[in-house]
Amino acid sequence: MSGLLRAFALLLLVATLAGCSREGPKFKASDVTGASFGRELALTDHTGRPRTLADFRGKAVVVFFGFTQCPDVCPTTLSTLAAAMKELGPDADRVQVLFVTVDPERDTPALLAQYVPAFDPRFIGLTGDAAAIDKVAKEFKIIYQKQPGPTPGSYSVDHSAGVFLFDPQGRLRVYASHGQAPEVFAHDLRALLEGA
């Protein structure tokens, strides 16, 4: 009986030590490493230049979908990302935030050029025709839909509000749901920059 107890105690000790040596989660937001979506986008930036994810290899990339006339979610998220960039300090130069409009009808390149860099001069707004936006939204599993307003031009757009983080090799690694703090983004971006 004592031999059995000794063996059990040894097994328990090994399991405990193994548990101590395991690393905790790399990311504070959801780890989606290996996801089969969010692999590519091909749109035009707010200066008129065609862009793909490959253009930003070597940087951690943040992709967020929204629209400039969004009253709450979009400016809040962009402000949060700007705060995360400040928290990153010099490492922020190795991060690229991309804001993809889901309202290409109103969000012209000129409007995106005013709106997006107002949060951080390094941020880039992306647009395209309706078909291009729809293709990218489907690739990222983003849902968006126009909601009529009192006049034809005053509609709103309901849309998915999560944020996608890519590592410097261009692989989707993290999905952050709406409402995350700047510290969450700074932590996860730092982890991606350090090769997590």
Side-chain angles (χ1 to χ4, degrees):
M1 188 68 141
S2 64
L4 188 59
L5 270 172
R6 212 171 309 140
F8 178 73
L10 184 61
L11 183 63
L12 188 59
L13 179 63
V14 169
T16 303
L17 291 175
C20 290
S21 67
R22 265 192 229 139
E23 288 181 34
K26 293 177 194 163
F27 306 118
K28 292 190 175 192
S30 300
D31 187 334
V32 294
T33 301
S36 62
F37 60 93
R39 293 162 298 191
E40 192 48 76
L41 64 78
L43 294 168
T44 304
D45 74 17
H46 62 250
T47 69
R49 181 176 169 190
R51 295 290 199 158
T52 68
L53 286 173
D55 294 336
F56 306 104
R57 291 280 154 81
K59 289 186 171 193
V61 175
V62 179
V63 177
F64 174 63
F65 291 77
F67 65 113
T68 62
Q69 296 186 45
C70 176
D72 43 29
V73 171
C74 303
T76 301
T77 301
L78 288 168
S79 295
T80 298
L81 293 171
M85 295 289 271
K86 283 185 183 149
E87 195 169 317
L88 285 169
D91 283 337
D93 290 332
R94 297 170 53 213
V95 175
Q96 182 59 65
V97 173
L98 303 175
F99 176 81
V100 180
T101 183
V102 292
D103 185 15
E105 195 176 317
R106 292 182 299 191
D107 288 348
T108 62
L111 182 54
L112 288 170
Q114 287 181 332
Y115 181 80
V116 179
F119 293 92
D120 185 296
R122 295 168 287 208
F123 290 7
I124 294 175
L126 296 175
T127 189
D129 62 23
I133 297 294
D134 194 47
K135 181 177 180 184
V136 172
K138 282 181 179 159
E139 175 61 26
F140 279 77
K141 300 190 179 298
I142 292 293
I143 298 167
Y144 65 101
Q145 182 175 8
K146 250 190 211 187
Q147 296 300 328
T151 64
S154 67
Y155 60 85
S156 185
V157 184
D158 290 343
H159 62 91
S160 307
V163 180
F164 303 87
L165 277 59
F166 291 77
D167 65 20
Q169 291 74 44
R171 299 172 300 200
L172 176 58
R173 302 291 305 281
V174 178
Y175 175 80
S177 57
H178 173 63
Q180 300 295 329
E183 297 76 29
V184 171
F185 289 106
H187 174 276
D188 289 358
L189 287 165
R190 201 169 271 124
L192 290 173
L193 291 171
E194 289 169 0

